[in-house]
Each structure stands twice: as C-alpha cells, then as structure tokens.
Amino acid sequence: MNQKIILLVEDNPDDEALTLRALRKNNILNEVIVARDGQQAIDYFFGERASTNSVPAVVLLDLKLPKIDGLEVLRRIRADQRTCLQPIVILTSSKEEQDVVIGYRLGANSYIRKPVDFNQFMEAVRQLGLYWLVLNEAPPIQRKSQ
C-alpha cells in the first residue's frame, strides 16, 4: 500500500502525529503530505505548483482549520472541474450534527469522527487505509496546467 499519496489536512500537531503513527503502525506506508491549514490545502490543488503536485488517492480533511475552514476547502475542491471527483474523507473531532449534514451536502465521500481512544483510532485508520487505498476504485482525475 505505498504508491498512492494521502493528503492529510490537519492543524493540530498532536492529531497529525497520532494519525501518522496510526498509519505506520497499520503498515500503511504511503507518502503522506500534510497541509496544516485550509489555505495550504487549497494551494496544494490550485496554487502555482499545483500542476506538479501528485493527485492524492484520498484527502483526510479536518474541519476546524485556521485561515480557511475545512468545509470551505471541501466547497472549493468540489467547485472546480479538475478536482470535483477527488475522494475526500472528513476526519474530525467535531460532534456537530450540522457539520455532518453540510459536509455531505458539499460532497464529502465519508465523515468520520476521530475516536478518543487510541486503539479505536488505530482501527479507524486501518479501515480507512484498507478501503481508500486498496479496495476503492478512484475516479480518473486529471490535473491540467493553469
């Protein structure tokens, strides 16, 4: 499972470290690119170097982000023809029902609440990796130069 890229959009250093550790412990050795705020995520897809960035197999998107929140990141990715089919999993600690509803309305492929317990988090990451990196047939996404 190491040829596909994961884009992790996470501003909390502890949650970033926890996610990276859970991926490694589950032998998910894919390259993980970390965007630490919403603007970095947008720049990954639409910034001046976007055409040279690899298309991620999946985006793990937190909602509570500095600069641009996760729902706005999702909205912008879905609004662009080049990225509208990008697989996006909201991975957040938000328990707000409206976040779930809005996330799905904006086109999230999945919504997962980060489990507080590390073992449960490990299992959630294992299943995420298995599904999105092995089982899922991703849509063809073509990045055009700007």
Side-chain angles (χ1 to χ4, degrees), residues 5 7 33 40-59 77 80-87 139-146:
I5 292 172
L7 177 61
I33 297 168
Q40 287 181 4
I42 294 298
D43 289 347
Y44 185 86
F45 287 103
F46 307 114
E48 59 185 60
R49 295 187 339 196
S51 63
T52 62
N53 289 336
S54 297
V55 176
V58 65
V59 175
I77 290 171
D80 192 287
Q81 193 63 27
R82 296 167 294 177
T83 56
C84 65
L85 299 177
Q86 172 66 55
I141 297 174
Q142 297 182 4
R143 180 120 349 116
K144 295 177 184 153
S145 298
Q146 296 179 338

Side-chain angles (χ1 to χ4, degrees), residues 10-18 36 62 64-66 114:
E10 176 60 67
D11 66 311
N12 182 310
D14 293 333
D15 285 352
E16 175 189 334
L18 184 65
R36 293 184 176 89
D62 191 19
K64 309 300 184 208
L65 298 168
K114 295 175 190 170

Side-chain angles (χ1 to χ4, degrees), residues 128-145:
L128 273 170
L130 178 63
Y131 181 78
W132 289 104
L133 301 171
V134 177
L135 298 174
N136 184 55
E137 179 72 29
I141 297 174
Q142 297 182 4
R143 180 120 349 116
K144 295 177 184 153
S145 298

